């Protein structure tokens, strides 16, 4: 690199560092001055944290330069591959939880693995994940201990086991099937990569009970991680405007899974009289082990059939529609709209992407959904689906710093 090019790089690094420092101060201020519990504070913290991450990524890009950033992608692949191997090896469970260290010799004997292999894998994962207080001696850090959480472990194994190979095969799929978004549940990047022999993604993941347990843990963890978005819609203030009785159908949670969102909605409704219905397929409802609480009723229902509850105040569907292509979404929405009255409203709790400036999470989530014909959608795309199902978009409720929101719709 000549002096002029080096000077330009130093200037770029300096500017990126200044931007990162500025965004760090804003993030710290949001934490210090916010309550941490109300939506405005949560949104401010989320927004400033997102900006800080973007600045740090830009600083890393400036420091590495164009050529080295190409090799950064190789590093990332090697790192995640090594971590996945270490997960399967059992290193996370083998290390002491009190932060003390174990030598490679002890770990190799304990896990019945070759010491040389363990050392080679661990050198990739240090210092991002584990600590190495002495040569070939390893200890947990907060960044490694998080992998012991079943939901985090499941999400990691899901993305590395199922979707990393899919992402690597995207170009081959599109070269074979045309450069357009996939629409066929039986022929898409997922089924192409995993050679599912005619099975859909949903059918394929159920073949291995152990893996399916990891898959469910990952889905539940993601649902809980984004549960803050449920309170974006003002359930209590809107429902308290209605004259209701104990028999009134207040909220029908369509495809509500194990009921975590349903219970949160019930809490947000507060003292408004009426019923909350949790709907999902009977085999899903059979897996519910905890008491959902008073005022919540379970009802077996497949959302590809007309909704049996007529005239509810709110039909609520969360993190379901992004799994499906437009045609399937319209079918699901029609099966809800046919049971609505002019006083009913539909709430779709999903990501609502902006037309530009999509954050990292929104972008990779969309590619993940695309792999089996789903997608994350913009407000305009949500409006198009609603119109096709006989509904109209009234408003999109959002929160600063995140693309998660609630799309509110009524009958036309």
């Amino acid at each position: 690199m000549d002096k002029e090019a080096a000077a330009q790089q130093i200037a770029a690094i300096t500017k990126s560092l200044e931007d990162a420092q500025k965004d760090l101060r804003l993030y710290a201020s949001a934490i210090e001055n916010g309550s941490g519990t109300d939506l405005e504070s949560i949104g401010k913290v989320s927004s400033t944290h997102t900006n800080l991450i973007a600045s740090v990524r830009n600083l890393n890009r400036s420091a590495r330069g164009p050529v080295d950033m190409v090799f950064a992608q190789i590093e990332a692949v090697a790192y995640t591959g090594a971590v996945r191997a270490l997960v399967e090896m059992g290193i996370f469970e083998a290390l002491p939880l009190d932060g003390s260290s174990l030598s490679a010799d002890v770990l190799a004997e304990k896990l019945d693995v070759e010491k040389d292999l363990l050392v080679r894998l661990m050198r990739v994962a240090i210092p991002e994940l584990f600590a190495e207080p002495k040569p070939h001696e390893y200890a947990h850090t907060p960044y490694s201990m998080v992998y012991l959480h079943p939901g985090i472990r499941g999400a990691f194994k899901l993305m590395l086991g199922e979707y990393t190979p899919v992402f690597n095969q995207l170009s081959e799929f599109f070269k074979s099937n045309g450069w357009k978004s996939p629409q066929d549940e039986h022929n898409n990047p997922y089924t192409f990569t995993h050679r599912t022999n005619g099975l859909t993604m949903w059918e394929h993941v159920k073949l291995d009970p152990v893996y399916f347990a990891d898959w469910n843990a990952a889905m539940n963890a993601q649902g809980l991680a984004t549960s803050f978005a449920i309170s974006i819609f003002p359930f209590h203030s809107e429902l308290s405007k209605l004259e209701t009785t104990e028999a009134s159908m207040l909220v029908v949670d369509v495809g509500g899974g194990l009921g975590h969102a349903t219970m949160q909605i019930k809490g947000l409704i507060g003292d408004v009289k009426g019923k909350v219905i949790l709907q999902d397929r009977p085999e899903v409802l059979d897996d519910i082990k905890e008491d959902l609480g008073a005022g919540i009723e379970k009802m077996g229902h497949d959302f590809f059939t007309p909704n049996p509850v007529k005239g509810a105040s709110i039909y609520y569907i969360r993190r379901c529609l992004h799994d499906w292509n437009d045609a399937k979404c319209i079918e699901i929405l029609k099966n809800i709209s046919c049971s609505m009255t002019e006083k009913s409203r539909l709430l779709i709790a999903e990501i609502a992407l902006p037309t530009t400036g999509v954050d990292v999470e929104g972008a990779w989530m969309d590619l993940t959904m695309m792999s089996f014909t789903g997608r994350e959608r913009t407000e305009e795309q949500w409006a198009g689906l609603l119109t096709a199902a006989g509904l109209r978009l009234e408003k999109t409720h959002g929160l600063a710093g995140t693309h998660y929101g609630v799309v509110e719709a009524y009958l036309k």
Side-chain angles (χ1 to χ4, degrees):
M1 182 185 299
D2 59 35
K3 287 188 176 181
E4 182 178 355
Q8 291 176 350
Q9 183 186 33
I10 294 298
I13 295 171
T14 302
K15 175 64 168 58
S16 297
L17 179 58
E18 290 171 351
D19 289 342
Q21 290 172 328
K22 174 186 174 183
D23 286 330
L24 174 59
R25 289 192 294 270
L26 292 173
Y27 176 53
S29 176
I31 294 174
E32 182 179 353
N33 298 321
S35 68
T37 55
D38 64 282
L39 279 179
E40 184 178 354
S41 294
I42 292 172
K44 189 67 174 177
V45 169
S46 177
S47 178
T48 54
H49 187 241
T50 298
N51 291 340
L52 174 60
I53 292 173
S55 291
V56 171
R57 291 182 70 199
N58 192 50
L59 174 60
N60 179 61
R61 186 169 63 241
S62 299
R64 299 195 71 148
V67 174
D68 205 22
M69 282 301 293
V70 174
F71 291 95
Q73 298 176 61
I74 301 172
E75 293 171 16
V77 173
Y79 172 80
T80 51
V83 175
R84 177 61 190 271
L86 290 167
V87 165
E88 300 299 337
M89 180 184 285
I91 195 79
F92 292 85
E93 291 80 8
L95 286 172
L97 298 180
D98 61 4
S100 58
S101 59
L102 289 179
S103 69
D105 289 309
V106 170
L107 286 167
E109 182 177 357
K110 185 176 183 180
L111 297 171
D112 191 23
V113 299
E114 183 188 57
K115 175 186 173 182
D116 179 65
L117 173 63
L118 187 151
V119 170
R120 295 175 74 181
L121 291 172
M122 287 296 280
R123 67 165 62 117
V124 179
I126 294 169
E128 284 82 0
L129 208 57
F130 298 101
E132 189 178 19
K134 297 178 182 178
H136 296 177
E137 195 167 292
Y138 311 112
H140 265 307
T141 72
Y143 295 93
S144 60
M145 290 188 70
V146 73
Y147 284 76
L148 295 172
H149 185 282
I152 299 296
R153 171 75 67 92
F156 176 77
K157 292 177 72 173
L158 174 68
M159 294 309 300
L160 267 294
E162 294 290 298
Y163 292 102
T164 297
V166 175
F167 294 152
N168 288 336
Q169 287 291 308
L170 284 180
S171 60
E172 294 304 314
F173 172 80
F174 291 123
K175 283 193 290 186
S176 299
N177 292 272
W179 293 89
K180 55 187 177 181
S181 293
Q183 301 296 328
D184 188 343
E185 292 174 63
H186 300 276
N187 183 32
N188 50 59
Y190 183 97
T191 60
F192 175 85
T193 301
H194 291 289
R195 295 176 173 82
T196 62
N197 296 318
L199 298 179
T200 67
M201 184 277 293
W202 305 103
E203 295 164 338
H204 183 256
V205 297
K206 294 178 181 178
L207 293 178
D208 182 347
V210 174
Y211 183 78
F212 189 50
D214 285 335
W215 191 86
N216 278 328
M219 295 301 100
N220 290 332
Q222 188 180 39
L224 292 172
T226 59
S227 62
F228 67 89
I230 297 170
S231 58
I232 289 175
F233 183 79
F235 282 96
H236 184 268
S237 63
E238 288 298 303
L239 289 173
S240 61
K241 297 174 184 177
L242 308 176
E243 294 183 6
T244 64
T245 67
E246 297 294 347
S248 299
M249 294 293 182
L250 292 182
V251 179
V252 179
D253 187 1
V254 182
L258 300 181
H260 297 122
T262 319
M263 289 188 285
Q264 188 173 339
I265 290 169
K266 178 61 178 175
L268 292 170
I269 289 171
D271 58 1
V272 181
K273 295 179 180 179
K275 297 180 180 180
V276 175
I277 309 295
L278 167 61
Q279 292 181 339
D280 214 309
R281 289 172 290 111
E283 61 268 28
V284 175
L285 299 181
D286 288 344
D287 283 340
I288 297 176
K289 307 303 181 186
E290 60 186 313
D291 181 12
L292 298 177
I296 297 178
E297 298 180 8
K298 294 185 289 185
M299 178 184 294
H301 172 61
D302 183 339
F303 53 44
F304 285 110
T305 62
N307 201 291
V309 179
K310 308 296 182 181
S313 297
I314 293 175
Y315 293 85
Y316 182 87
I317 184 165
R318 175 175 182 256
R319 298 184 66 249
C320 292
L321 296 176
H322 72 164
D323 292 334
W324 303 97
N325 62 28
D326 287 356
K328 290 290 187 181
C329 283
I330 292 169
E331 183 181 348
I332 295 168
L333 292 171
K334 283 183 175 180
N335 283 323
I336 297 174
S337 65
C338 70
S339 297
M340 294 171 63
T341 67
E342 62 179 13
K343 293 183 179 180
S344 302
R345 75 181 90 190
L346 169 66
L347 301 179
I348 302 171
E350 294 267 9
I351 284 177
L353 296 175
T355 54
T356 187
V358 175
D359 65 19
V360 174
E361 181 186 17
W364 74 253
M365 280 286 289
D366 181 49
L367 283 188
T368 303
M369 298 300 109
M370 182 191 71
S371 73
F372 53 88
T373 77
R375 71 184 306 148
E376 304 297 350
R377 293 176 170 90
T378 63
E379 184 178 64
E380 182 180 7
Q381 289 168 329
W382 284 121
L385 292 183
L386 291 167
T387 298
L391 297 157
R392 60 176 172 83
L393 191 153
E394 176 73 14
K395 180 181 179 181
T396 298
H397 304 260
L399 179 66
T402 176
H403 296 332
Y404 289 92
V406 178
V407 176
E408 180 180 3
Y410 292 82
L411 292 175
K412 286 183 182 178

